[in-house]
Amino acid sequence: MPASEAFSTSRAAARRFLVRAFALDGFQTLPDVPTVIERLGFVQEDSINVCGRIHDLILWARVREYSPALLSAALYESPRRAFEYYFPNLCALPLSNYRYFAPAMARYRGKYTRWGQITDEEEPVAEAIYDLLDSSEGPLRTREVGAEHGHTTSGWGTRTRVMAHVADKLWLHGRLGIARRENFERSFDRIERLFPADVLDAPPAEEAEERRFLAHKRVRAKRLFRAKKEDAEALGPGALATVNVEGVRRPWQVLCEDVEALRAAESADVGNAVHLLAPLDPLVYDRERTRDLFGFEYTWEVYTPAAKRRWGYYVLPILRGDELIGRVDPKIDRRTGVLTLHSLLLEPGVDAEEVAAPLAGRLREFARFLRATRIEITRAEPAALAGAVAGAV
């Protein structure tokens, strides 16, 4: 289908297309972490841990019998199946993509920015890092060493050790790799000790190939999108199709390779599985698309001052089938084993009696995933939900 040709679809079909594309037409339907990373294109990572970290919540919804150890195995154990880099946020990416990110690593080495070149003053610190790695028994936790090199301001504007800042730069440059994480804190090692030689020795993508690959990866990760001009240009004519969604003022786009799947979604059955979606789950990442297709207002309010929050600190949208039916604001107390739902709210018009049992079942599974032994509810709307959900798990 030429890029200029447009076709129409219903909002329900667009929703079902996304639910299937993002592997949410059922609970934990995919076999392993590498399959999810390849299917989604990447899994965004984040250090905040209120009720499980974002990457773990994304994977828990999709991977059979998921535990965080499975992501660690894919990232840090031999044979590695994934690596971490920015796209543009910190992500777990398929290891097969490494050669397309190698050019960005090389560009960082020559940039005159805080994340760029190793400066003359930093060269002795970089050498000290290499010496420590070569003389030590294992990977380097930079917060435990290097105090003699002093402190600086990180690229994020926070105070950090100079050695930690230089290690960050060497990682961005592709000189160091992440050997493991403990409570999300990184330990570094020489990259050649971590990744297979065939991955590191593969020729980096040429500029035009890199641009096309990354543009395709960006739009495919969204599935239904409004492409930026530079991505549309990199993909070239005939790559994108315009989609007019009923009742939506502005058109959307899909890759032409996805047109048939979107058409088939008019008659698709995505079931009625209940999901608790991470705040950055790809289904709800685009807030405008979430409004257009699901009629659901959602803002991740973790960085919103408490007095201005409408829904809560770490609210998870609730998906059932192809409808967003509510939201929950959970927090785990690991000391007591209590999962507190500060709020559990259904959208107007949702039949509470119909959804109570499957929602309660999923929340209990969620509690067990977090190793909670009890669920307590501060506020539920409708109030009858509290009786269906609260209690021992």
Side-chain angles (χ1 to χ4, degrees):
M1 174 178 289
S4 58
E5 186 175 340
F7 71 102
S8 298
T9 192
S10 66
R11 293 173 72 210
R15 292 195 303 269
R16 290 194 290 265
F17 165 71
L18 292 175
V19 167
R20 296 182 79 174
F22 294 139
L24 292 171
D25 50 338
F27 181 67
Q28 294 190 343
T29 60
L30 298 182
D32 53 38
V33 168
T35 299
V36 177
I37 295 174
E38 190 71 46
R39 172 84 167 260
L40 301 183
F42 61 86
V43 171
Q44 186 163 333
E45 297 181 272
D46 192 86
S47 62
I48 298 173
N49 192 355
V50 174
C51 55
R53 293 188 170 93
I54 275 177
H55 43 279
D56 290 321
L57 300 183
I58 291 172
L59 291 165
W60 174 70
R62 295 166 170 90
V63 178
R64 295 172 196 163
E65 300 180 1
Y66 178 75
S67 72
L70 296 178
L71 176 60
S72 293
L75 286 168
Y76 313 126
E77 295 179 12
S78 182
R80 291 181 177 228
R81 305 282 300 280
F83 73 104
E84 293 171 276
Y85 207 67
Y86 288 109
F87 186 62
N89 303 303
L90 180 66
C91 295
L93 294 148
L95 191 57
S96 60
N97 289 184
Y98 191 89
R99 66 182 295 264
Y100 299 99
F101 287 82
M105 298 174 188
R107 287 193 292 271
Y108 267 117
R109 296 170 209 154
K111 285 183 177 179
Y112 293 96
T113 68
R114 189 130 189 89
W115 290 122
Q117 284 187 344
I118 299 295
T119 66
D120 291 343
E121 293 79 10
E122 291 170 341
E123 277 291 351
V125 183
E127 290 303 319
I129 289 172
Y130 292 136
D131 289 344
L132 281 168
L133 288 172
D134 292 341
S135 63
S136 68
E137 301 258 336
L140 178 67
R141 296 177 69 186
T142 52
R143 78 169 183 171
E144 295 180 342
V145 294
E148 67 273 17
H149 296 290
H151 289 77
T152 186
T153 302
S154 75
W156 306 109
T158 57
R159 188 171 185 267
T160 187
R161 290 189 178 188
V162 171
M163 181 168 276
H165 180 59
V166 173
D168 269 340
K169 292 172 78 169
L170 292 172
W171 171 68
L172 279 171
H173 299 176
R175 303 301 194 196
L176 298 183
I178 300 172
R180 62 173 178 259
R181 287 185 185 268
E182 297 175 36
N183 197 27
F184 213 65
E185 181 189 353
R186 297 168 298 175
S187 292
F188 294 104
D189 205 343
R190 285 184 178 269
I191 193 76
E192 58 269 22
R193 293 178 182 171
L194 303 178
F195 295 155
D198 62 327
V199 171
L200 299 179
D201 294 342
E206 298 291 336
E207 182 179 357
E209 182 187 12
E210 176 200 7
R211 288 180 63 240
R212 278 195 304 274
F213 178 86
L214 296 180
H216 183 272
K217 189 173 185 68
R218 274 189 288 270
V219 297
R220 188 179 183 277
K222 298 174 184 176
R223 295 294 183 145
L224 193 65
F225 49 84
R226 295 185 177 118
K228 293 182 178 179
K229 180 181 178 181
E230 56 267 32
D231 285 341
E233 290 175 348
L235 291 168
L240 307 180
T242 299
V243 183
N244 294 309
V245 180
E246 66 169 343
V248 176
R249 183 175 58 85
R250 294 177 59 206
W252 289 87
Q253 293 170 294
V254 291
L255 285 161
C256 285
E257 64 198 57
D258 278 337
V259 167
E260 288 309 310
L262 179 51
R263 290 191 187 279
E266 288 286 0
S267 57
D269 180 8
V270 296
N272 280 311
V274 171
H275 291 283
L276 310 176
L277 300 179
L280 300 180
D281 191 282
L283 187 73
V284 293
Y285 191 93
D286 187 323
R287 309 313 194 204
E288 185 174 1
R289 188 181 67 189
T290 302
R291 285 194 299 272
D292 277 0
L293 302 186
F294 293 89
F296 190 82
E297 289 288 338
Y298 180 60
T299 302
W300 191 31
E301 297 178 313
V302 70
Y303 299 113
T304 302
K308 295 184 178 181
R309 288 182 197 134
R310 183 179 178 188
W311 306 112
Y313 179 71
Y314 207 84
V315 167
L316 311 182
I318 302 168
L319 176 74
R320 188 182 189 219
D322 68 347
E323 299 281 353
L324 289 169
I325 64 167
R327 61 197 85 212
V328 59
D329 183 17
K331 184 174 182 179
I332 179 69
D333 185 327
R334 292 171 180 82
R335 180 180 56 84
T336 63
V338 172
L339 176 64
T340 298
L341 310 183
H342 293 297
S343 63
L344 175 59
L345 312 175
L346 295 185
E347 289 291 279
V350 173
D351 187 331
E353 186 173 337
E354 180 185 352
V355 305
L359 176 57
R362 184 67 73 236
L363 284 164
R364 292 191 188 102
E365 289 179 287
F366 183 51
R368 289 190 286 270
F369 169 65
L370 298 174
R371 298 184 179 179
T373 57
R374 183 173 181 80
I375 296 176
E376 295 182 357
I377 300 181
T378 305
R379 171 188 170 211
E381 293 182 7
L385 281 177
V389 174
V393 298

